[in-house]
Amino acid sequence: MKLILTCTTLLFALSCTAAVAGECPAGKEGPTPFKPITETTGPLQVVNNGQILLDNEAVAAKGWHLRSRTIYFGKGSIAQIHSHDERPEIATMLSGSVTIYAKNCTVGVKMKPGEVYRSGRGDSHWAVNDSGAPAVMYATDIFLKDTFPVTAGNK
């Protein structure tokens, strides 16, 4: 199921659309038939765009951070299986595409530009850039302890 959301910015009077692809398709829920990938491979760069400590914010979530990142997936790169039990996230595909394989879904979900993928408690998945071209994703999450797997040397 895809939901198209339209937004306009008042300041610049620009419009944009975003499709929500961030769930297992209806009827495809269940244990994944795919073997989870447990090692990050290929060119993958994670850039921290900024974060806010939430101690003194309205939510008063001591030790938690709100963070925005850009994830650059090189051709053939894989972000290993990781859990979102303690790190809810909303990710938007900017360019290219990646396929998300979730532990609780019998099919992979291909993210295309403008599509949004949501992850939270009970969600574990890995991402594969099988598109043959580089891909870029924006991700916003809250975290107490960073658990996103990256290889040494990546930012």
Side-chain angles (χ1 to χ4, degrees), residues 61-82:
K62 186 162 179 64
W64 288 80
H65 295 81
L66 171 64
R67 168 178 62 187
S68 170
R69 296 178 297 163
T70 304
I71 304 170
Y72 298 93
F73 292 87
K75 291 191 281 186
S77 64
I78 299 170
Q80 73 188 43
I81 191 166
H82 54 279

Side-chain angles (χ1 to χ4, degrees), residues 103-154:
K103 72 173 185 177
N104 58 355
C105 190
T106 62
V107 297
V109 175
K110 185 164 289 280
M111 285 186 66
K112 298 174 188 164
E115 291 183 335
V116 174
Y117 195 91
R118 299 178 299 242
S119 303
R121 186 169 304 278
D123 296 329
S124 291
H125 60 236
W126 65 100
V128 178
N129 181 356
D130 53 7
S131 69
V136 180
M137 174 189 291
Y138 289 144
T140 302
D141 62 0
I142 61 169
F143 70 97
L144 182 61
K145 177 182 176 191
D146 190 8
T147 59
F148 187 79
V150 295
T151 55
N154 287 337

